[in-house]
Amino acid sequence: MRRQKRGRSFPRAVVRLACGSLLLFAVALGVAAWAAEPHEMAGEMAGHGAGTAASTSFATMMQNAMMVMDGGMNGAPMTGDPDHDFAAMMIPHHQGAIDMAKAELLYGKNPVLRRLAQEIVVTQDSEITVMQRELQKQAGGGSH
């Protein structure tokens, strides 16, 4: 068991609280902006017949996220270079996870899962940025 030094737990807790609050604020702004945009949605998921409007909308968002993700992954240009191919496949995979997380943030009620969804939006968006940058470096002849 790891022991904490006296006097360090309060500042660390304050930092965690501040970071958590900032993360929640950033995600809330992003989700609000995203929710305000018009979105093309696929038809209702088969087998979900008599659900509420919210569950139908959630199911539709999840199905759409999966279809877009699968299409993006299947259409990713493969070059045979593991670094390129990894990034090319993971970008649509991460975007699919972000889209699913946004559906959870709009419709989910479980605070643990909502927090996880918030973290997915922030972390996977930043990872997409890193992978896009690395693909651009490769396309420009930069070294890995």
Side-chain angles (χ1 to χ4, degrees):
M1 184 180 295
R2 195 170 139 193
R3 294 178 62 183
Q4 284 189 321
K5 294 180 182 178
R6 289 188 102 162
R8 290 193 65 183
S9 62
F10 178 74
R12 190 173 287 170
V14 171
V15 168
R16 283 187 187 139
L17 179 60
C19 289
S21 297
L22 187 56
L23 173 67
L24 288 172
F25 179 70
V27 169
L29 284 176
V31 169
W34 177 82
E37 296 175 6
H39 296 284
E40 292 294 323
M41 295 293 171
E44 290 184 27
M45 280 179 96
H48 286 274
T52 65
S55 67
T56 301
S57 296
F58 174 78
T60 301
M61 287 181 74
M62 294 297 278
Q63 181 184 27
N64 189 52
M66 288 294 294
M67 288 178 9
V68 170
M69 180 182 72
D70 288 345
M73 291 178 72
N74 287 326
M78 297 291 102
T79 65
D81 175 1
D83 294 328
H84 175 277
D85 296 354
F86 170 76
M89 293 281 282
M90 289 303 289
I91 290 170
H93 183 268
H94 275 34
Q95 186 60 54
I98 290 168
D99 294 343
M100 289 182 227
K102 287 177 178 178
E104 168 64 16
L105 291 171
L106 288 172
Y107 296 102
K109 303 213 181 332
N110 181 314
V112 172
L113 295 178
R114 287 180 51 79
R115 177 63 185 214
L116 179 63
Q118 291 167 343
E119 292 174 11
I120 287 169
V121 170
V122 172
T123 59
Q124 295 207 10
D125 184 59
S126 68
E127 290 171 4
I128 287 172
T129 301
V130 170
M131 289 183 281
Q132 288 171 332
R133 189 176 320 126
E134 292 304 308
L135 286 175
Q136 289 172 352
K137 281 185 196 176
Q138 281 187 346
S143 63
H144 347 331

